[in-house]
Amino acid sequence: MSIFNFCHRFVPCLADPARRTSLGLKAALVVLHIVYAGILFLFDSDLIEKTKQEPWSYTALYLLLCVATLIQYFVTSCSSPGNVLDAMRDVNEKNSLFSKASMLSKPPASSKNGSLIITVEGSQSERNIPGSNVTSWTKLVLDMHPPGTSIRTVTCSYCNVEQPPRAKHCHDCDRCVLQFDHHCVWLGVCIGWGNHCRFWWYIFEETALCIWTGILYITYLKANISRAWLKDVIMILLLVTLSIALIFLLLLLIFHSYLILTNQTTYELIRRRRIPYLRGIPERVYPFSKGVCRNLYNFCCARSSIYSLERLPTAMELEDKSRPYTCLEFLTCRCC
């Protein structure tokens, strides 16, 4: 028996190439953090002395940020982005329990047109749906389209489920994700409605850690540039690679901050002309934006359930969003 078969027998997750790659990337990222911090403490004797004299000062905060960044990385990689199948099961089960409770509490009322009232984003709307064999999830997805518009639901051919607006099937995870943003290779998970906030905080912490590490490296090189050339070469090479990573992280942080403030996703921004519900909308009009302050609040504070869905805006709402701001509207914070 080869060593690979032996490992696959006792660690079944290693038999999957995708999971092997994900575990390898996670291990590589942890090793990178240890190497950058370890080399710094190994070479910089002044930093070691300062740590011995004041263990809970500047150095302790740096190490605390290192640990917090790694914890945030694993929390984000293990979090669910919000799966459409889970949301569908939850909606259908709750509706079934509610129907049973209603039948026990009062006699059933007859209905000729089969009209249905569904709450989406705190607003009630009524829609006539012919037939009685339509599931609660299908009714909910239909209700997310503006009244009076031609309804076109998208059924995923892989998951066999109706996709609500802003959802997409991820071929890497093999599941439909609510408010799909992108599939992150480093995290080994999709970024969607349920974990986009955690993903942003991870990028923020990683960026802050890179800046702090770069400052410590530059401080060491300024004080010890002519003492040991081999150490200097190692530190300079690590500082160059750190600078490249920092540029990438800063751009990623700015990009996702822009997406949050405008309530967009990476997928919607890149594939805007190919997505049916975004066709015909001008480039600088953000159909799901509710203002900067409300977008921030919904992103950071109002995500209590991954099954809260956003309906498509009506033609009147799109017309209002496309109207340019006046000076008075800026003063009254209409953009917020």
Side-chain angles (χ1 to χ4, degrees), residues 91 200-201 207 269 280 283 313:
V91 169
W200 188 90
W201 278 110
T207 304
L269 185 66
E283 291 290 335

Side-chain angles (χ1 to χ4, degrees), residues 104-119:
L104 292 173
S105 61
K106 59 182 180 180
S110 60
S111 177
K112 294 182 179 180
N113 57 6
S115 63
L116 173 72
I117 298 177
I118 306 174
T119 302

Side-chain angles (χ1 to χ4, degrees), residues 62-127:
Y62 173 74
L63 294 176
L64 185 63
L65 181 60
C66 286
V67 175
T69 303
L70 288 175
I71 291 174
Q72 185 67 31
Y73 170 78
F74 284 104
V75 168
T76 307
S77 65
C78 295
S79 60
S80 172
N83 302 322
V84 175
L85 278 173
D86 294 338
M88 182 189 69
R89 293 191 190 101
D90 185 73
V91 169
N92 288 337
E93 286 175 5
K94 286 182 178 179
N95 188 269
S96 177
L97 292 174
F98 178 77
S99 299
K100 290 179 181 178
S102 299
M103 291 176 64
L104 292 173
S105 61
K106 59 182 180 180
S110 60
S111 177
K112 294 182 179 180
N113 57 6
S115 63
L116 173 72
I117 298 177
I118 306 174
T119 302
V120 179
E121 288 188 330
S123 63
Q124 287 188 339
S125 60
E126 186 174 309
R127 177 158 302 177

Side-chain angles (χ1 to χ4, degrees), residues 17-27 73 77 185-189:
R19 297 194 69 178
R20 277 205 307 269
T21 303
S22 178
L23 289 173
L25 288 172
K26 287 179 173 64
Y73 170 78
S77 65
V185 178
W186 277 100
L187 290 167
V189 70

